[in-house]
């Protein structure tokens, strides 16, 4: 995933919701398939599979139509949703960096009869729509991102450079459920605590969102020449800010 283009894409990407509906070439789809099969996971022990669907093979509650969809299926092990966000975001950035639009689609499902249950006990989790954009593909300035200010999501001293592309990460309903605390060499990541009502709506999506942010964190650290190693720290080591729950720690050397 050490690709400069993905780093740059974090500062320009946006969700594309209008597409030219003609299919992409087989060459482009093969390249994407090859890229997807070599993605870096967050957790290596969780099997994830990417399959492709065309318009008509997918049912979306919201009125976004794309010519193609990449469906992400996963084993349902602990933390699999973080892993799905982490891997799927590499696809979102890859598409953006290569002149194609994409959009995470939390409200879309494969139509009955399409591949939902994968061999090897994998379940459909979420999809991204993609294709040739029929609207501007990129933002031209960071000010065009509607995001929380750094001061609201991070208490990491001198963490602005490392965390700025993480702040810009996409999330479901733009809720940006993440927070960062600790130091620039040991960043703890938290996510918003939910109540029983909001949990039904957002627990799943917030985990995918946090995985997306972790993908941006790895790309940002790699860009600074600093490899990342994730670990789960003990509760005494990590007291998250009020309103957040601890997720994971990034050791950045
Ligand atoms: C997990 C996830 C699910 C999403 N689901 C939808 C969706 O169903 N429909 C949609 O139009 N946008 C969806 N989005 C896109 C978000 O609304 C979008 O990322 C957010 O508003 C920030 O805007 P940006 O991506 O243009 O920066 C989803 C994003 C994520 C990360």
């Amino acid at each position: 995933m050490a690709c400069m283009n993905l780093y740059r894409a974090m500062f320009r990407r946006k969700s594309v919701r209008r597409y030219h509906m003609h299919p992409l070439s087989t060459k482009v789809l093969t390249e994407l398939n090859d890229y997807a099969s070599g993605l870096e996971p967050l957790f290596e022990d969780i099997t994830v599979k990417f399959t492709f669907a065309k318009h008509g093979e997918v049912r979306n509650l919201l009125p976004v139509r794309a010519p193609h969809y990449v469906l992400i299926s996963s084993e349902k092990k602990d933390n699999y949703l973080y892993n799905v966000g982490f891997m799927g975001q590499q696809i979102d950035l890859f598409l953006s960096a290569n002149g194609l639009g994409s959009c995470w689609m939390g409200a879309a499902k494969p139509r009955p009869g399409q591949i939902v249950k994968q061999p090897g006990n994998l379940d459909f989790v979420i999809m991204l729509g993609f294709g040739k954009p029929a609207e501007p593909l990129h933002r031209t300035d960071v000010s065009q991102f509607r995001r929380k200010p750094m001061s609201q999501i991070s208490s990491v001293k001198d963490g602005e450079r490392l965390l700025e592309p993480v702040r810009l990460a996409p999330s479901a309903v733009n809720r940006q459920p993440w927070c960062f605390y600790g130091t620039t060499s040991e960043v703890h990541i938290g996510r918003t605590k939910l109540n029983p009502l909001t949990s039904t709506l957002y627990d799943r999506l917030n985990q995918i969102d946090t995985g997306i942010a972790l993908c941006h964190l790895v790309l940002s650290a790699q860009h600074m020449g600093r490899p990342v190693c994730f670990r789960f720290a003990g509760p005494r080591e990590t007291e998250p800010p009020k309103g957040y729950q601890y997720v994971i720690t990034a050791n950045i050397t």
Side-chain angles (χ1 to χ4, degrees), residues 82-102:
Y82 298 117
N83 194 50
V84 163
F86 187 86
M87 295 181 85
Q89 187 56 13
Q90 294 171 56
I91 295 184
D92 178 62
L93 294 170
F94 178 82
L95 289 165
S96 182
N98 288 287
L100 292 172
S102 71

Side-chain angles (χ1 to χ4, degrees), residues 97-238:
N98 288 287
L100 292 172
S102 71
C103 186
W104 283 91
M105 291 187 177
K109 296 224 171 352
R111 281 194 189 280
Q114 300 302 317
I115 313 149
V116 181
K117 195 91 180 166
Q118 299 281 346
N121 210 21
L122 305 189
D123 286 285
F124 167 74
V125 180
I126 196 164
M127 69 178 81
L128 292 98
F130 68 95
K132 191 166 174 243
E135 64 180 47
L137 173 63
H138 292 134
R139 294 185 168 110
T140 51
D141 193 274
V142 165
S143 63
Q144 293 161 5
F145 285 81
R146 280 191 306 115
R147 297 294 190 266
K148 295 175 185 172
M150 188 65 84
S151 57
Q152 202 177 321
I153 56 165
S154 170
S155 59
V156 177
K157 191 166 173 288
D158 300 325
E160 287 75 11
R161 186 168 161 226
L162 176 68
L163 294 173
E164 175 64 357
V166 191
R167 185 181 76 85
L168 302 178
S171 56
V173 204
N174 205 19
R175 286 174 68 91
Q176 309 160 62
W178 42 70
C179 76
F180 309 94
Y181 53 106
T183 65
T184 51
S185 49
E186 189 179 57
V187 180
H188 304 303
I189 295 97
R191 68 174 172 101
T192 313
K193 258 190 203 161
L194 298 169
N195 63 40
L197 180 67
T198 52
S199 181
T200 319
L201 293 170
Y202 293 116
D203 189 50
R204 250 181 111 256
L205 290 168
N206 280 10
Q207 291 179 66
I208 296 175
D209 294 340
T210 307
I212 291 173
L214 296 178
C215 167
H216 280 216
L217 178 61
V218 169
L219 286 170
S220 179
Q222 281 178 348
H223 181 77
M224 293 167 82
R226 301 174 63 197
V228 180
C229 182
F230 288 104
R231 72 183 173 94
F232 293 106
R236 260 186 295 152
E237 223 182 302
T238 61

